Amino acid sequence: MASSNVAITGAPTTPGANGSVPLRREVQDLQNNFPDQWNLFLLGLINFQQVDATDLLSYYQIAGIHGEPFISWDNVDGISDPSFGGYCTHSSILFLTWHRPYLALYEQALYAVIQGLATQFPAALRDRYVAAAQTFRLPYWDWAAKVQGSAFPSSISSPQATIVDIDGATKQIPNPLYSYQLPPSASQGDLDSTWSVFPVTLRYPTTNDASAESQDDQVSQVISNENASLRNNVSLILLSYKQFDAFSNNEWLRNGRPGTYGSLEDIHNEIHDKTGGGGHMSALEVAAFDPVFWLHHCNVDRIGAIWQALNPNSYVTAKASEGNFFTAQGATEDANSQLKPFWNASGAKFWNSTGVKETTTFGYAYPETQKWSFPSTQAYQTAVRNAVVKEYGANALTNFFSGASANIAAAVIPGPGLAAAFTKKTVAHPAPPAPPSAQNPIPAVKAANPGPAEHPPPPPSANSAAKPKAAAVPAVAPLELPEQFSHLALDNTYTEWITNVRAVKHGLSQTFRILVFLGEFSQDPKTWPLEPNLVGRVTVLGRAPNTGCAKCRTDQDNQLVITGTVPLTTALLGEIVAGRLASLKTEDVEPYLAKNLHWRVTLFNGEEKDRNEVPGLNVSVVSTNVRIGDDGIPIYSDVYTVHPAITDGKPAGHSPGDQI
């Protein structure tokens, strides 16, 4: 007898003779170069969001798996009371692998809606849209791309969208990527009192009641201001992290190794915070109701897949579970642990991490992971590594000196250009900085990394079933520094500087963030997200003691500590070019950072929190040597040095003898 459980297979796929599968594409690439699939995406999403909320395959039910309303999905109960607990795997070895079949379920349901719509177009358009629908895959939003214009695509942030409807007419519709209209049950007991007041999902809400509106322009401003740090962080974990447990999730490893504080989950948290701004994306309980959640997590999955391509022999390692809705505290979680509530293709067993290791299992790949296009694993990995460098920057020196355009060019030539480019770091500013715009762009030093080129143009049959080959990625240019800065990389080696942060995840019973500054800044916390001297942040997605999340309550009892990083090297290079710092050597950087490095803590609502009152907060600075290969790709040392002289004596600063 066939199982009645929802079998999760992803979009139905017949791989090509060489193993090729359709691609998940960047959202702006899909919009600009695959217009028929983009049109179907918007049409499909708005119809998907209108499926009855009681349907297991509705938008509301699938989004609800991630948190509230904390009920079992598809009859997958937990080890205790099935009426609550959730399926949370955050700060867990299963964080990345659990979200892969989750995305596949969402894509599968959306794909089915799109197939039905494609057949309803007028005869003159039907074949075209049916062909486009066959290879449709969920797009991702690359939030770490170099900012060129708005950092938050208008396709997501605009309240209205233009589509060709199934009757063939061009129409304006409410943009289904802008917000999601919650069903009546959301305000009738499904969601807690904080979120039940909102009829739609919001970003940077203007108020805390039903009249609130989104302020999506703030998303772009905040992401722009920390773009260099974010890009550096992505490049750092992709090119230097070699162990899955360190790369994948943010639980403190307590291994005494200061070079393992970063993670993809840490970066993931940062984007939730920056995108939500106190709205739904900021709270894991309700984040999945915001349509941008799926584009965000698709990019998280992509970065994870890229890392897997570079590190195929490191994967889920056995660890003791903190305990959650379906795993007892202390039980071992490993690659064979069940990823509930996601039934595999049989509908009789659950997916596990071993089964979801390859994205092709669910019928998709990413532009960087088209393994079938290469004659060998070595050629494939070389292309992937070059793609990382092209998209997120190579070594910090090449990024900085090749990416700061005219301002840096002027600055490295004696004359007024230097002062003009870098005076922003020399004065305090009592008033909040103006938001970036065409007239008042983010200063060049804040976007010093070279951005990724657009993905290769699609072939003429872009909306057909044909799968494009991976484009050749040119080798990275060797290191070339302006002569007066050649001392920064003697023997093609330089010192990378990083801020390490750790804190008790649920210590403040809410989301909070640690903001890292280099230089002066206003004392008004309202200005901090757009301070020119803000380098980056670590976001802690904490929850209240009364949360319905079973794992979160266990994590609270266990005082779970999480970690994150804020790279400093690009900001330090700006200081060197401006003449305020001599080099990246320890004897120069230590005293400079001791004087100029600052950190502050703000709560979910943006209010400041005393650093000494944040449980487990510890901020340290570490450094490591980086050798630049002949191809320009950095080779990171495994040896990291902790510099307590920079942070000792400051609130929550790391002191000699503190645990690493």
Side-chain angles (χ1 to χ4, degrees):
M1 182 176 178
S3 171
S4 61
N5 300 322
V6 176
I8 298 169
T9 61
T13 306
T14 301
N18 61 353
S20 61
V21 293
L23 303 182
R24 287 180 176 174
R25 303 184 182 277
E26 210 282 328
V27 63
Q28 293 176 94
D29 180 29
L30 188 71
Q31 180 182 20
N32 295 334
N33 298 318
F34 301 84
D36 292 349
Q37 289 188 342
W38 175 254
N39 190 68
L40 286 170
F41 175 44
L42 294 181
L43 269 178
L45 186 55
I46 200 165
N47 279 269
F48 183 29
Q49 291 175 354
Q50 293 170 355
V51 174
D52 189 282
T54 62
D55 189 321
L56 269 183
L57 293 178
S58 67
Y59 184 96
Y60 184 70
Q61 287 273 330
I62 293 175
I65 293 171
H66 198 259
E68 294 186 11
F70 291 120
I71 57 175
S72 59
W73 184 82
D74 200 15
N75 300 312
V76 181
D77 294 335
I79 58 176
S80 57
D81 183 353
S83 67
F84 72 96
Y87 302 103
C88 174
T89 59
H90 299 93
S91 302
S92 154
I93 194 68
L94 303 180
F95 166 71
L96 280 181
T97 56
W98 183 88
H99 282 84
R100 182 161 286 172
Y102 188 29
L103 281 169
L105 168 62
Y106 180 88
E107 185 171 62
Q108 176 179 331
L110 176 59
Y111 180 91
V113 173
I114 286 174
Q115 302 312 300
L117 290 170
T119 63
Q120 298 179 47
F121 277 86
L125 298 174
R126 190 176 305 136
D127 288 349
R128 177 176 134 194
Y129 279 105
V130 167
Q134 289 176 352
T135 56
F136 169 82
R137 295 296 183 269
L138 182 68
Y140 62 89
W141 166 40
D142 187 0
W143 27 253
K146 184 180 179 183
V147 173
Q148 296 174 325
S150 174
F152 197 44
S154 60
S155 55
I156 305 172
S157 62
S158 297
Q160 299 293 315
T162 302
I163 53 96
V164 177
D165 207 345
I166 56 174
D167 61 3
T170 300
K171 300 176 182 178
Q172 285 279 110
I173 61 169
N175 185 0
L177 292 172
Y178 178 73
S179 66
Y180 166 59
Q181 179 80 39
L182 291 154
S185 61
S187 61
Q188 297 169 0
D190 278 5
L191 306 187
D192 69 68
S193 58
T194 299
W195 302 104
S196 61
V197 299
F198 300 118
V200 298
T201 58
L202 299 164
R203 302 163 194 149
Y204 290 84
T206 53
T207 64
N208 293 322
D209 56 38
S211 67
E213 297 180 354
S214 285
Q215 302 176 88
D216 282 44
D217 60 313
Q218 294 193 28
V219 180
S220 180
Q221 295 173 36
V222 169
I223 290 178
S224 292
N225 200 41
E226 299 171 51
N227 183 245
S229 172
L230 175 59
R231 288 168 54 75
N232 286 357
N233 230 352
V234 171
S235 180
L236 179 72
I237 64 172
L238 283 175
L239 296 178
S240 71
Y241 279 46
K242 303 302 179 185
Q243 297 302 316
F244 184 85
D245 58 347
F247 166 81
S248 65
N249 71 95
N250 64 1
E251 180 181 1
W252 184 22
L253 296 179
R254 299 180 186 270
N255 59 4
R257 298 183 60 196
T260 58
Y261 266 51
S263 69
L264 183 51
E265 184 175 11
D266 168 45
I267 296 172
H268 146 275
N269 291 353
E270 176 183 339
I271 301 303
H272 270 281
D273 182 26
K274 291 178 176 178
T275 308
H280 291 73
M281 273 289 284
S282 305
L284 292 181
E285 293 98 326
V286 293
F289 295 118
D290 188 326
V292 80
F293 171 93
W294 305 97
L295 308 185
H296 164 45
H297 264 278
C298 193
N299 197 43
V300 171
D301 183 73
R302 165 180 164 266
I303 293 173
I306 290 172
W307 187 89
Q308 286 182 262
L310 296 174
N311 302 276
N313 297 322
S314 182
Y315 197 48
V316 175
T317 51
K319 298 188 73 172
S321 172
E322 296 287 333
N324 55 38
F325 187 44
F326 52 87
T327 303
Q329 184 176 353
T332 298
E333 289 181 325
D334 58 25
N336 295 315
S337 296
Q338 296 175 329
L339 302 177
K340 292 183 178 179
F342 307 124
W343 300 98
N344 68 12
S346 72
K349 295 181 179 180
F350 294 103
W351 284 109
N352 59 27
S353 299
T354 299
V356 305
K357 187 174 183 180
E358 303 295 334
T359 68
T360 51
T361 299
F362 294 114
Y364 70 90
Y366 293 102
E368 301 85 356
T369 63
Q370 300 176 69
K371 186 176 182 179
W372 58 85
S373 296
F374 299 91
S376 67
T377 298
Q378 181 179 359
Y380 173 50
Q381 291 182 327
T382 297
V384 172
R385 191 173 290 107
N386 285 342
V388 170
V389 169
K390 186 176 182 181
E391 292 167 9
Y392 302 119
N395 62 80
L397 300 184
T398 298
N399 298 349
F400 184 84
F401 286 104
S402 67
S405 66
N407 280 340
I408 296 298
V412 299
I413 299 172
L418 184 143
F422 296 101
T423 49
K424 75 180 191 69
K425 285 192 177 279
T426 65
V427 295
H429 39 274
S437 65
Q439 291 73 37
N440 182 31
I442 292 292
V445 71
K446 295 296 295 184
N449 294 335
E454 288 293 324
H455 291 306
S461 56
N463 280 321
S464 73
K467 287 81 171 179
K469 296 286 186 181
V473 181
V476 181
L479 178 66
E480 293 184 3
L481 298 180
E483 183 178 352
Q484 58 268 57
F485 298 114
S486 60
H487 66 284
L488 297 177
L490 297 177
D491 299 321
N492 270 20
T493 300
Y494 71 94
T495 305
E496 186 89 35
W497 293 86
I498 300 165
T499 308
N500 278 353
V501 177
R502 70 171 184 259
V504 175
K505 181 173 182 178
H506 302 286
L508 295 180
S509 301
Q510 61 178 292
T511 289
F512 61 98
R513 59 198 66 83
I514 299 93
L515 303 170
V516 176
F517 302 89
L518 186 58
E520 298 179 359
F521 59 97
S522 167
Q523 296 307 300
D524 181 0
K526 293 179 181 178
T527 72
W528 291 350
L530 293 181
E531 284 285 333
N533 289 343
L534 175 64
V535 180
R537 72 180 67 193
V538 171
T539 297
V540 182
L541 297 178
R543 293 185 177 181
N546 63 349
T547 177
C549 172
K551 181 182 187 301
C552 303
R553 294 195 300 272
T554 304
D555 290 347
Q556 291 166 352
D557 294 340
N558 295 337
Q559 296 288 289
L560 178 72
V561 177
I562 57 91
T563 64
T565 56
V566 177
L568 295 171
T569 309
T570 296
L572 290 173
L573 288 171
E575 299 302 277
I576 290 170
V577 171
R580 292 186 287 272
L581 179 64
S583 75
L584 292 173
K585 294 180 179 179
T586 298
E587 58 264 33
D588 294 319
V589 174
E590 267 197 355
Y592 185 83
L593 289 180
K595 179 181 179 181
N596 294 287
L597 184 70
H598 309 282
W599 56 90
R600 295 293 186 271
V601 177
T602 58
L603 300 174
F604 185 77
N605 62 5
E607 294 180 359
E608 183 178 7
K609 179 69 175 179
D610 189 320
R611 290 163 287 175
N612 288 320
E613 296 178 359
V614 181
L617 180 61
N618 188 278
V619 179
S620 59
V621 175
V622 302
S623 66
T624 188
N625 287 334
V626 181
R627 181 170 62 85
I628 303 167
D630 293 338
D631 57 3
I633 294 178
I635 303 168
Y636 290 83
S637 167
D638 288 334
V639 178
Y640 280 73
T641 301
V642 183
H643 300 271
I646 296 171
T647 53
D648 188 23
K650 298 180 180 181
H654 186 88
S655 300
D658 284 356
Q659 190 175 0
I660 302 301

